[in-house]
Amino acid sequence: MAYGAPQVRLGGTWTKTIAWLMGIQVIIFLAQAFLPGPPGGPDRLSLLFGVTPGAVFPARFYTLITYAFLHNPQGIGHLLFNMLTLYFFGGDLQLFLGLRRFWVLYLGSALPGGLA
């Protein structure tokens, strides 16, 4: 390949952090699928760690971060899309920002989403 020629690659940069994040997400997804909640209601993990409007402050403040690790256990599409996005962009972003700033961005992005 000539110097300065555009590099084409499929996929993102694979890092240990991205591998761990994906693994954790899949484990939580499986736990949600196998720990159903009340009939017609959300699964147990969503009840414990999901954002419930009007119940966040002060007792369930932690849910503003934990909800970001939950996915719809009825369908795998949400999880797959999130994992593809993490795969294509997460590793390069981590290498660009550094591990600490990557975590600040990753978890810090969940906070305004939970507040919204």
Side-chain angles (χ1 to χ4, degrees):
M1 180 179 282
Y3 179 75
Q7 180 182 3
V8 177
R9 67 180 175 156
L10 297 174
T13 302
W14 191 254
T15 66
K16 286 181 182 180
T17 304
I18 299 306
W20 272 100
L21 267 174
M22 286 183 168
I24 289 167
Q25 297 280 357
V26 169
I27 289 169
I28 292 171
F29 176 79
L30 292 172
Q32 285 182 268
F34 291 107
L35 294 171
D43 60 272
R44 289 182 191 169
L45 291 180
S46 292
L47 289 171
L48 292 172
F49 299 110
V51 174
T52 304
V56 172
F57 299 103
R60 294 175 45 92
F61 191 76
Y62 63 93
T63 62
L64 292 175
I65 299 293
T66 58
Y67 86 92
F69 291 90
L70 301 173
H71 296 85
N72 180 3
Q74 305 303 317
I76 199 164
H78 180 201
L79 177 71
L80 286 178
F81 183 75
N82 284 4
M83 296 305 97
L84 276 173
T85 304
L86 191 57
Y87 172 68
F88 279 108
F89 301 107
D92 289 329
L93 194 57
Q94 178 197 336
L95 294 176
F96 178 74
L97 293 175
L99 186 59
R100 182 182 203 136
R101 288 191 293 175
F102 172 79
W103 278 112
V104 168
L105 177 65
Y106 190 83
L107 297 175
S109 297
L111 191 60
L115 289 170

